């Protein structure tokens, strides 16, 4: 406080405003917050630098010490600090820059008595959903928490929270919000959005029959917006993929791929993978691999959105089935990155590695990978992957001659995991159960 009091009023205002922006900041950002030009504040900047509070490096100004930055930020009264965070968050959103940066400031600013801040959270959640579902989920959930049930915006915020939480892989919380919201009469579009989210949740938790029913209900209303229609089609194909319902999935995928200009990239990738798995089940292995490679090239290969198909994981699964382990490991390394963190598909690379180790006669490594997959899937509530990991551990125990442990693992409730991510893992598990029964 003494250091600040020794400075002029404009210098104190600059430092307090800049402290909200971060330890380092662009002078242009600070001047936009203050509604002045850089030339106007140049003497003020020099005063702060002479006082050894700011230093210049490259394009940024920085507080000389982290402690000084935090102390100045904490001297700002709480309501004023929230208002400054909101102001900067809205500047970033309106500028079209990083929605992630805007999100951090809007979360700091959020409170119940400010509709403008909540609207900013809504915008930031929608902007960050494609690239960072985890951030979108935090924003949407916070906006919902701060909204009164009587507020006209409460329904929209519940729907947005359910969608973002599903995309982020937070399936239990997403399902609760969706079910609570669906308990009341809803307009067609919000109901379709919620049923679409529920379909994705049911697929991820190994309930493809329920997932298919929810997807059909989501697609039922006429005149769905294109984005919602696409997401519902992805959910439907994911459910049918879990059921391995060739008769239902084939015509849907054919229709989508016949008119690619009518659909977004996500649904085109889903249709390509669905066709690939149909070819695979019919024994057309080369055709299936080419379709999967096309799907990986068409999309990003890996999506942070838990509602999407994952082309690289599908390709790696088929390569493992074909015992092309070196190529499979290359694809797994490409897929196993931070993009998958926190969503059910995070368990798949470890599952595939376990199967590779087992086939190569490395039961210790196979068990370690399967345990890692089991822990990840259990933490995320991804029951299909949990069942697959437990079954793998059962096969490993069987090969070690430990029948009691093998039976314990195989008694785990077997639910269906997505065909694209499991290949014939369910068949392998059934064979393993038979082998245990035979050995006993």
């Amino acid at each position: 406080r003494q250091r600040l009091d020794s400075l002029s009023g404009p210098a104190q205002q600059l430092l307090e405003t800049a402290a909200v922006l971060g330890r380092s900041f662009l002078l242009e950002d600070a001047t936009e917050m203050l509604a002045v030009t850089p030339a106007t504040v140049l003497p003020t900047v020099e005063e702060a630098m002479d006082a050894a509070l700011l230093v210049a490096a490259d394009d940024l100004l920085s507080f000389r010490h982290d402690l000084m930055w935090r102390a100045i930020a904490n001297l700002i009264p709480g309501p004023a600090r929230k208002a400054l965070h909101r102001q900067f968050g809205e500047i970033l959103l309106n500028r079209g820059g990083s929605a992630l940066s805007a999100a951090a400031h809007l979360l700091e600013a959020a409170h119940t008595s400010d509709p403008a801040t909540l609207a900013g959270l809504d915008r930031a959640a929608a902007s960050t959903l494609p690239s960072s579902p985890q951030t979108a989920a935090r924003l949407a959930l916070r906006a919902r928490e701060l909204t009164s049930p009587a507020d006209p915006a409460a329904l929209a915020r519940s729907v947005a929270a359910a969608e973002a939480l599903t995309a982020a892989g937070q399936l239990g919380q997403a399902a609760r919000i969706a079910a609570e919201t669906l308990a009341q009469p809803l307009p067609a579009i919000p109901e379709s959005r919620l049923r679409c989210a529920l379909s994705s949740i049911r697929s991820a938790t190994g309930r493809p029959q329920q997932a298919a029913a929810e997807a059909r209900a989501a697609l039922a209303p006429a005149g769905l917006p294109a984005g919602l229609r696409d997401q519902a089609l992805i959910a439907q194909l994911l459910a049918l993929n879990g059921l391995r319902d060739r008769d239902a999935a084939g015509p849907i995928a054919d229709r989508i791929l016949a008119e690619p200009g009518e659909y977004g990239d996500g649904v085109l990738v889903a249709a390509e993978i669905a066709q690939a798995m149909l070819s695979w089940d019919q024994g057309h292995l080369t055709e299936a691999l080419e379709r999967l490679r096309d799907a990986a090239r068409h999309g990003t290969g890996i999506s942070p959105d838990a509602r999407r198909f994952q082309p690289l994981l599908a390709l790696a699964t088929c390569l493992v089935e074909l015992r092309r382990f070196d190529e499979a490991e290359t694809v797994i390394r490409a897929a196993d990155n931070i993009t998958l963190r926190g969503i059910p598909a995070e368990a798949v690379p470890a599952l595939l590695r376990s199967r590779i180790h087992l086939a190569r006669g490395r039961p210790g490594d196979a068990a370690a990978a399967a345990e890692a997959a089991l822990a990840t899937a259990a933490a995320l509530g991804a029951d299909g992957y949990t069942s697959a990991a437990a079954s793998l551990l059962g096969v490993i125990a069987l090969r070690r001659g430990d029948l009691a442990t093998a039976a314990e693992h195989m008694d785990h409730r077997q639910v269906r995991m997505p065909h694209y991510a499991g290949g014939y893992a369910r068949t392998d598990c059934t064979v393993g159960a038979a082998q245990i029964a035979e050995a006993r």
Side-chain angles (χ1 to χ4, degrees):
R1 170 59 67 188
Q2 288 175 339
R3 297 280 292 276
L4 284 179
D5 286 346
S6 68
L7 302 177
S8 65
Q12 292 184 44
Q13 185 183 20
L14 170 67
L15 288 168
E16 289 176 336
T17 301
V20 172
L21 307 186
R23 166 81 188 269
S24 299
F25 60 94
L26 289 168
L27 181 59
E28 295 92 324
D29 288 341
T31 56
E32 188 170 355
M33 290 280 287
L34 294 166
V36 296
T37 65
T40 303
V41 299
L42 185 57
T44 307
V45 172
E46 292 173 343
E47 181 183 357
M49 293 178 69
D50 289 342
L53 294 174
L54 291 181
V55 294
D58 299 324
D59 298 329
L60 298 172
L61 290 169
S62 300
F63 287 88
R64 183 178 290 275
H65 297 292
D66 183 79
L67 181 62
M68 185 63 69
W69 163 54
R70 295 183 182 279
I72 292 173
N74 288 332
L75 287 171
I76 305 169
R81 187 164 59 247
K82 283 181 177 289
L84 290 170
H85 276 296
R86 191 192 84 180
Q87 180 186 353
F88 190 51
E90 290 177 346
I91 285 172
L92 291 174
L93 281 180
N94 293 332
R95 189 187 290 170
S98 169
L100 286 173
S101 299
H105 290 282
L106 291 170
L107 282 170
E108 289 285 344
H111 58 91
T112 54
S113 59
D114 187 359
T117 299
L118 296 180
L121 288 176
D122 295 338
R123 289 173 59 200
S127 298
T128 55
L129 184 58
S131 59
S132 180
Q134 310 287 342
T135 300
R138 287 197 299 273
L139 290 163
L141 195 57
R142 185 64 175 147
R144 180 178 183 267
E145 289 168 350
L146 295 174
T147 302
S148 164
D151 192 316
L155 173 59
R157 289 189 178 129
S158 290
V159 173
E163 289 178 324
L165 287 163
T166 303
Q170 299 175 39
L171 306 179
Q173 194 169 14
R176 285 193 296 274
I177 291 174
E180 289 170 7
T181 310
L182 284 167
Q184 57 187 301
L186 298 177
I189 298 303
E191 181 175 346
S192 283
R193 289 173 63 184
L194 288 168
R195 294 201 179 281
C196 190
L198 273 178
S199 178
S200 299
I201 293 166
R202 301 305 180 220
S203 286
T205 53
R207 298 166 180 83
Q209 292 278 12
Q210 296 176 28
E214 295 288 1
R216 284 194 301 271
L219 285 163
L224 291 179
L228 176 55
R229 176 209 61 192
D230 283 4
Q231 188 57 53
L233 284 169
I234 293 170
Q236 186 178 41
L237 287 170
L238 192 59
L240 295 174
N241 182 270
L243 290 169
R244 292 167 73 167
D245 189 339
R246 181 167 51 206
D247 293 336
I252 296 170
D254 287 341
R255 185 173 68 249
I256 292 167
L257 294 175
E259 298 182 284
E262 297 296 315
Y263 302 93
D265 284 347
V267 74
L268 291 174
V269 167
E272 287 172 344
I273 293 179
Q275 286 285 36
M277 300 318 295
L278 292 175
S279 297
W280 180 264
D281 282 345
Q282 292 169 340
H284 306 310
L285 307 185
T286 301
E287 178 183 326
L289 289 178
E290 285 307 309
R291 285 186 179 278
L292 291 174
R293 290 191 173 97
D294 286 344
R297 285 191 289 266
H298 196 119
T300 59
I302 289 295
S303 171
D305 191 330
R307 302 171 297 174
R308 299 295 185 94
F309 281 78
Q310 303 287 357
L312 284 180
L313 295 181
L315 177 58
T317 298
C318 289
L319 291 170
V320 170
E321 297 281 5
L322 295 174
R323 300 300 187 259
R324 291 163 64 168
F325 296 136
D326 291 341
E327 187 179 356
E329 287 176 332
T330 299
V331 176
I332 292 167
R333 281 194 296 273
D336 191 11
N337 58 54
I338 197 170
T339 306
L340 292 179
R341 297 298 181 265
I343 63 176
E346 182 183 352
V348 177
L351 278 173
L352 294 176
R353 288 190 176 108
S354 179
R355 296 180 67 193
I356 291 172
H357 289 314
L358 189 60
R360 285 181 158 170
R362 299 193 292 257
D365 292 336
E371 291 282 7
L374 181 64
T376 299
L380 296 171
D383 292 346
Y385 300 129
T386 302
S387 178
S391 298
L392 266 172
L393 288 168
V395 172
I396 293 165
L398 173 65
R399 295 199 184 175
R400 288 172 162 171
D402 185 350
L403 289 182
T405 301
E408 183 180 340
H409 284 304
M410 284 297 182
D411 284 342
H412 190 283
R413 179 171 58 94
Q414 290 193 21
V415 294
R416 297 189 182 187
M417 66 190 295
H419 184 27
Y420 81 85
Y424 291 108
R426 185 172 175 82
T427 304
D428 291 344
C429 294
T430 305
V431 172
Q435 289 172 334
I436 291 170
E438 179 187 32
R440 297 173 79 180

